Structures are given as C-alpha cells and as structure tokens.
Amino acid sequence: MQKNEIYTVSIDDLTAEGSGVCHIDGMAVFIPESAVGDKLRIKIVKVLKNYAFGIIEEILIPSDDRIVPDCIYHKQCGGCVFRHISYEKELEIKAKIVRDAFERIGKLSPAFLPIIGCESRIGYRNKAQYPVSADKNGNIICGFYAQRSHRIVPVNNCLLQPDIFGRIVELILSYAKEKKIAPYKEENNTGILRHIYLRKGHYSDEIMVCLVVRKSIERELKGLVKRLIDEIPGIKSIVMNINPYKTNVILGNKNVTLWGSDIIKDTMCGNEIEISPLSFYQVNTPQAERLYAVAKDFAGLTGKERLLDLYCGAGTIGISMADKAKTVLGVEVIPEAVENAKENAKRNGVENAEFICGDAGEIAKKLADDGMLPDVVVVDPPRKGCDGQTISAICKMSPKCIVMVSCNPATAARDCSILSTMGYATEKVQPVDLFGGTGHVECVVLLSRNEG
Ligand code: SAH
C-alpha cells in the first residue's frame, strides 16, 4: 500500500476517536468521519508499519448510521468526533469502548449495565476553554484545536457550550484587537492572551470569565471588565490567571480577581457548590448528577460507613453521599479545590465531612499506616488513573468495596485488573455519557473485597 493510492472499501468498525476502520490486504486503515456500513472511495494519506490512514474521496453508499452534522465546524474541528452519526449509534459505540477496555485490557468479565445517555448533544457543557492564537494575517482568533493538532479552528458558537459563551468570546476578541493585546505564540512563548476560559453554573446561571495571560495586564483589562459587566448578564466573577510557562497546561497557579467574586456557585445533587477557577467541576451537570447517584448506589451506604473519597475535587461526590455515611474524608491535591470542598460542606450543613490537601497516594499511604479502616473508598482519578502507591494503600486499608469513577475506561480497566490480583473483584460497570458528540465516555465501577 502506498500514499495517494485510491481504494474502494467498506467500513466495518469505529474507533474511540471516531475514525472508521476498514481492512486492505489484512491491514487496518483508519478513515476519519466515516461510519460503520459506509461504502467509500478513499485515498491513502499515510502508511505506517502496521496500519495506515486514509481520507474520504467519495461516499459511494452511506451508512444507515449517518446523519447530517448539525455543526458548521464539524469538518475542521476535532471536538465532536461522533456528530455525523446518530446519538443512538454513538451510545452503542461508547458502551462497546467501555466493554472492550474491561474485557481486553483488564481481562475482566464484570456485568455491564446499559449506558446512560445525555438528554441532548447540544449546550450541555458548563465550561469552555478556547485557545487564543493569530491567523496567518496576524489577526487574533480563538476556537478549538483540529483533531490531533494544535492548529486552531476559529469557533465562537460551539454547539456544546451555552449560547452566551459565543457573545463573551466575541466581546473579548474585539477588545483585544482594539487594544492590541497580542495573542499568545506557543512556538516561542511570547504574546499575552493564551486562553479564554468560561464557566456557567447549569442551575445558577452564574458566569465566571477567566482570562489566561502569560503576564499580568491588569491595567489594560480595566475597560474589558467594564464592557463585560455592562453587556453580559449573569457575570459574577472575572479573573485573570497568569501562566508564564511554555507548557500545554492551560492554567497557571496565580489568579487575580479583576471584578466580583473569586468563585461561582452552582447546584449539584441538591447541594450548593462553590468552585474556583482551578477546581475541577464535571462539565455536564445533569449527567454528573446521574453519575454520582450511581456511585452512591454502588457504595451501598447504610449510615454506618466511614467513606474515603480520593481525588475529591471540590468535594461534590463525598458531600452527595454524606447523608448516608458516618464520616467522609476527602483527599485532593489542588489547594483551592480543598478550600471549596470545606466551604461546600459548611454551606450545606454537612458536619461529618473533612478534607485533606495532598497527593492521593501519599495521603492514602499515611492513613493506611495510621491504621485507618474505611468501609468504602471512592476513587475518581484523572485520565491517567491511579498510581501504584494509591492502589496499594487502598488494599492495605481493606475496605469492603471500592467505587471507581473514571473518565478513561482504559486506565480504569488497567487499575481494576491490578486490584483483581489484590483481592478485589470487579462486579459491575455502569457507563455514563457525560460528553455527547465527543469521543469521551465516563464509567462507574463497583469492586468488592473477596471474602475468605
Ligand atoms: N471527584 C471530583 C474530582 C474528580 S477529577 C469530582 O467529581 O468533581 C480528578 C481530581 O483529582 C481533580 O480534582 C484533580 O485535581 C485531582 N488530582 C489529580 N492528581 C491528584 C493526586 N495525585 N492526588 C490527589 N488528587 C489529584
């Protein structure tokens, strides 16, 4: 097989990145934006040792799964890899991604519960992070990255975000143009404005505008602050985040509140929750509530349990379970999130929850060494999963069950597989779609201690 060759193929599978897969002479060829059942004329664009990539030249017979994408940016933007197929099919694929991870990577055979889908693939996100850059004429732009690239596709009315985000972005970009605030340049870490980061409480409608800059431009932003509060209803917080480093990490450590509060509030599982710019908060609030309800059900609480909530963020999961537990102890590495968690417990009258700031593995090891014996451990790690120290410490504490919440089925399956060698059986897996349209899927797993 060689670059630029043309083939006629049928798509027989779809990857988690939304690429269709066909086989030519036994070799897998990935075709973005295709669907299972498509008959296509394709052009090979890249050939590697064991697989190749192609692009669609012509759709000869379209798959029944196809729909007309409702987004004008769909072809260029790498965000919604499943927008060209029906949501029903997307859910089937996501359920399969989760099942494959546990069966193939984890070599496990838990019960798989039917995936819980979103109500809509539109407007569900409560957060957006738009990278800022310059187009080829030097004009400031922002939008989203094209797939597997750092090229920005200018987008200001993304279907996943609340409509008002588009207006805020336009206002900020026109101000930056007017005041000649330079867009950030990744290549040599120059320029000023790096990201426009927005949050809006799903129930509260409170808005936070966070401008991520390479160095402080507090004075230059005074006029923008005035325009934002005059023109955008619901703004409660305007923050400048300073990130001086040459890095892919979006936020720096330093926040300067330019106007209003340094937090916004929202409701999650009936609790009033405050969040700082640096705190994690699930992006799809109603689906997160369903996710946490499953986690609570899996935890099987009766009111007598000591609960350890590792990777607790702003405390949302532990606080949602506190009424059914004896005690809750949350552990989180971001200090602002721990402050939020403490406040969140207080503002909701939760008196049996405490929070510690530190690395989950180190704190869990210390707790285990001190003889802590929680009945239930909840873990909700970032995409890379739990580290060895965390897993060993959990096993040493010997809880009767572990509830794992994960945004990455592959690392969840890997961690469950390790736990299976340490006395914990993976009982059941509940996939929950928090990220409709995109290639991401969340799951909750129940692991039980083997008795005897
Ligand atoms: N349970 C929370 C947060 C989950 S996201 C919720 O549902 O909202 C994962 C969290 O793990 C983030 O808050 C992140 O800051 C935190 N984290 C990442 N690495 C960590 C570590 N090594 N130790 C403790 N917390 C960590």
Side-chain angles (χ1 to χ4, degrees):
M1 192 185 303
Q2 281 186 359
K3 196 174 161 179
N4 292 330
E5 278 179 351
I6 303 284
Y7 290 90
T8 299
V9 298
S10 297
I11 300 296
D12 46 38
D13 203 358
L14 207 60
T15 68
E17 289 80 38
S19 275
V21 189
C22 62
H23 291 87
I24 300 173
D25 300 334
M27 177 137 135
V29 183
F30 298 99
I31 319 287
E33 272 181 70
S34 57
V36 174
D38 273 347
K39 194 159 182 210
L40 306 170
R41 201 154 58 82
I42 60 147
K43 181 159 90 179
I44 302 296
V45 290
K46 194 171 188 178
V47 184
L48 298 167
K49 192 159 167 249
N50 297 315
Y51 55 93
F53 293 94
I55 53 169
I56 300 178
E57 286 281 292
E58 190 186 349
I59 300 175
L60 301 171
I61 303 172
S63 152
D64 289 343
D65 302 347
R66 275 186 179 273
I67 56 164
V68 178
D70 49 2
C71 172
I72 54 168
Y73 307 108
H74 175 68
K75 274 215 172 326
Q76 306 102 52
C77 175
C80 290
V81 296
F82 292 130
R83 249 188 147 81
H84 65 294
I85 61 169
S86 70
Y87 188 47
E88 204 187 336
K89 283 290 155 189
E90 175 182 339
L91 287 178
E92 258 179 43
I93 294 159
K94 288 182 169 176
K96 183 169 172 290
I97 290 167
V98 173
R99 176 185 283 270
D100 283 354
F102 281 84
E103 289 181 347
R104 292 191 193 171
I105 303 172
K107 307 264 179 281
L108 298 163
S109 43
F112 293 97
L113 303 175
I115 186 165
I116 301 173
C118 315
E119 267 146 36
S120 167
R121 290 198 285 193
I122 292 183
Y124 61 79
R125 284 184 61 99
N126 58 34
K127 167 176 149 181
Q129 288 167 318
Y130 302 83
V132 175
S133 180
D135 66 12
K136 53 182 185 309
N137 303 319
N139 294 319
I140 192 164
I141 53 164
C142 77
F144 295 110
Y145 294 123
Q147 204 170 8
R148 277 186 234 103
S149 132
H150 264 216
R151 186 172 53 79
I152 291 175
V153 180
V155 172
N156 58 5
N157 53 344
C158 165
L159 283 181
L160 299 182
Q161 332 283 356
D163 286 343
I164 196 152
F165 282 8
R167 263 180 74 198
I168 300 176
V169 163
E170 261 171 43
L171 202 148
I172 296 170
L173 285 188
S174 75
Y175 183 87
K177 249 177 237 165
E178 203 180 301
K179 301 287 176 196
K180 302 200 166 37
I181 296 172
Y184 181 65
K185 265 200 200 143
E186 253 188 329
E187 317 83 80
N188 52 6
N189 197 34
T190 58
I192 300 290
L193 188 55
R194 301 176 67 127
H195 268 83
I196 299 172
Y197 163 27
L198 307 175
R199 260 178 169 163
K200 174 169 171 286
H202 175 82
Y203 294 107
S204 68
D205 287 335
E206 293 190 6
I207 294 175
M208 173 180 278
V209 174
C210 179
L211 300 151
V212 186
V213 294
R214 187 176 59 80
K215 61 178 193 187
S216 176
I217 48 164
E218 193 168 345
R219 239 181 298 141
E220 290 91 321
L221 292 176
K222 282 219 163 79
L224 176 60
V225 168
K226 179 154 186 339
R227 270 186 219 178
L228 284 168
I229 51 184
D230 284 350
E231 291 181 34
I232 308 290
I235 292 208
K236 287 281 180 291
S237 166
I238 305 178
V239 177
M240 177 178 66
N241 174 277
I242 303 166
N243 183 359
Y245 304 110
K246 188 170 181 348
T247 166
N248 279 341
V249 178
I250 296 175
L251 295 174
N253 297 325
K254 188 165 179 220
N255 287 322
V256 180
T257 304
L258 301 177
W259 182 84
S261 173
D262 49 5
I263 52 132
I264 55 166
K265 296 193 286 300
D266 194 23
T267 305
M268 176 74 90
C269 301
N271 294 308
E272 192 178 67
I273 298 295
E274 66 163 52
I275 30 173
S276 302
L278 291 169
S279 302
F280 178 88
Y281 189 63
Q282 285 288 4
V283 296
N284 182 336
T285 313
Q287 283 302 91
E289 294 182 306
R290 294 188 181 107
L291 177 82
Y292 295 167
V294 173
K296 189 171 184 174
D297 174 48
F298 281 10
L301 302 171
T302 64
K304 295 194 192 116
E305 293 78 9
R306 289 151 301 175
L307 181 90
L308 177 61
D309 178 12
L310 296 177
Y311 309 91
C312 71
T316 41
I317 297 185
I319 290 171
S320 77
M321 296 185 179
D323 63 330
K324 287 275 184 316
K326 186 170 169 217
T327 58
V328 172
L329 178 61
V331 180
E332 161 64 43
V333 80
I334 302 285
E336 288 82 355
V338 176
E339 286 312 306
N340 291 158
K342 289 179 180 167
E343 265 315 302
N344 288 334
K346 214 188 288 169
R347 70 167 74 237
N348 293 288
V350 172
E351 288 174 355
N352 57 344
E354 283 179 51
F355 300 91
I356 307 179
C357 186
D359 171 70
E362 280 170 27
I363 303 277
K365 181 176 182 301
K366 220 176 277 164
L367 295 171
D369 290 345
D370 290 349
M372 185 192 185
L373 296 169
D375 303 285
V376 177
V377 175
V378 173
V379 285
D380 183 6
R383 288 188 69 73
K384 65 174 190 243
C386 296
D387 59 18
Q389 178 161 259
T390 309
I391 291 179
S392 307
I394 294 172
C395 293
K396 189 168 173 196
M397 290 186 273
S398 187
K400 77 172 188 304
C401 74
I402 302 169
V403 178
M404 184 182 288
V405 178
S406 168
C407 56
N408 185 344
T411 56
R414 177 202 68 198
D415 291 347
C416 287
S417 174
I418 298 170
L419 283 161
S420 75
T421 65
M422 298 169 85
Y424 283 88
T426 307
E427 304 273 355
K428 51 183 173 179
V429 179
Q430 171 67 71
V432 184
D433 187 22
L434 265 66
F435 315 103
T438 78
H440 297 280
V441 59
E442 190 92 10
C443 60
V444 192
V445 188
L446 173 65
L447 299 109
S448 303
R449 188 177 63 208
N450 298 329
E451 297 303 338

